[in-house]
Amino acid sequence: MTAPVRFHQKVAIVTGAAQGIGRRVAERLQAEGAWVLAVDRSELVRELADEAVLTLEVDLETVEGAQAAAQAALDKWGRIDILINNVGGTIWTRPYEHYTPPQIEAEIRRSLFPTLWSCHAVLPSMQKQGSGAIVNVSSIATRSINRVPYAAAKGGVNALTASLAFENAQRGIRVNAVSPGGTEAPPRRIPRNTQTQEDPQEAIWYQQIVDQTVASSLMKRYGNLDEQAASILFLASDEASYITGTVLPVGGGDQG
């Protein structure tokens, strides 16, 4: 039995593609026939380079980085059919009162602004061609512990998903999001923060997140990369042609 080819010659931008969910999404899009622009600020993204995969290293926390990514896809293929916004992730884990103001701002910049900027950068070309699918990666952490700034950022992702869907449904553009729950992935090759030694208290707070995540899941387990990628690819595909403005929880029954 051959795998479906849902994305034959579709042009897809995948952000945060160097590791984890983003990397798996880029690999599966390419396997199903897409031309992929894999974007990350880490040079690890170069490992995905292929005849059908163009890689780009930019900082998507800046509007210039997002514009450069959109332009790279347009210069290479002349169109953008799919945008997967995957940049984000908790940098620190701690009760809210233990965050410093710079840390709060850093969390918001990391997990909200890349999605805002990237959507803004691709919309003109999608509107001009009268078609497109955007899938934003949110999180069930919008209802969780020890990561309030991250939760606020992902709540913003959910809100912009709904609002963009309202504005663009009549223009042929669908905008949806997935909210992954806890996900098993290989160890990060580049950490989200620059601490060289693990803080024992931070480890305790992180374990509290793990325990709460498992307890909140009806299945009492973490998901895996393919379970997350499958939901993202579904919403990006024509199989989801009558779905827009939806935030799909993918957390083993945890609705976030």
Side-chain angles (χ1 to χ4, degrees):
M1 182 177 179
T2 59
V5 185
R6 293 175 291 182
F7 304 104
H8 179 62
Q9 295 186 349
K10 293 284 185 74
V11 175
I13 298 175
V14 182
T15 73
Q19 303 181 84
I21 292 172
R23 184 181 183 117
R24 187 58 52 85
V25 167
E27 292 169 342
R28 290 186 54 164
L29 280 166
Q30 188 272 337
E32 290 198 40
W35 294 321
V36 179
L37 174 64
V39 185
D40 205 287
R41 65 185 182 184
S42 167
E43 65 182 17
L44 295 177
V45 76
R46 298 177 191 174
E47 297 172 354
L48 290 167
D50 183 85
E51 289 184 3
V53 181
L54 178 69
T55 65
L56 180 67
E57 296 164 53
V58 294
D59 184 357
L60 293 171
E61 291 181 18
T62 69
V63 64
E64 295 82 7
Q67 290 172 343
Q71 193 59 52
L74 293 171
D75 289 345
K76 177 69 174 179
W77 294 294
R79 60 186 292 115
I80 301 169
D81 300 300
I82 297 164
L83 169 64
I84 311 297
N85 283 310
N86 179 66
V87 173
T90 306
I91 306 173
W92 296 279
T93 55
R94 55 191 58 180
Y96 189 46
E97 65 271 20
H98 291 279
Y99 281 87
T100 66
Q103 288 172 340
I104 293 168
E105 291 185 4
E107 293 278 8
I108 300 299
R109 284 197 306 272
R110 174 71 57 85
S111 291
L112 177 58
F113 275 92
T115 299
L116 281 169
W117 294 141
S118 295
C119 287
H120 192 265
V122 305
L123 276 173
S125 62
M126 287 186 173
Q127 290 169 348
K128 184 177 180 180
Q129 69 198 29
S131 64
I134 297 173
V135 183
N136 299 321
V137 179
S138 181
S139 175
I140 61 167
T142 50
R143 291 179 63 89
S144 67
I145 61 171
N146 295 352
R147 42 189 172 168
V148 167
Y150 174 68
K154 290 303 190 179
V157 169
N158 293 346
L160 78 90
T161 296
S163 296
L164 278 180
F166 265 109
E167 289 186 3
N168 289 279
Q170 298 301 310
R171 296 173 172 180
I173 302 168
R174 296 183 301 104
V175 188
N176 293 291
V178 298
S179 291
T183 305
E184 296 284 357
R188 292 188 63 82
R189 294 160 65 187
I190 297 178
R192 288 199 174 103
N193 63 46
T194 57
Q195 292 176 328
T196 56
Q197 293 182 340
E198 186 176 26
D199 181 341
Q201 182 59 66
E202 188 98 359
I204 291 171
W205 288 329
Y206 183 81
Q207 187 59 47
Q208 289 172 350
I209 288 177
V210 173
D211 294 343
Q212 181 252 302
T213 298
V214 174
S216 298
S217 169
L218 303 185
M219 294 182 178
K220 304 303 179 191
R221 67 171 177 86
Y222 269 36
N224 61 52
L225 293 178
D226 283 309
E227 287 172 323
Q228 300 300 340
S231 64
I232 294 168
L233 265 64
F234 166 68
L235 288 175
S237 76
D238 291 341
E239 294 175 341
S241 60
Y242 197 48
I243 302 174
T244 196
T246 294
V247 179
L248 174 65
V250 189
D254 187 347
Q255 300 299 300

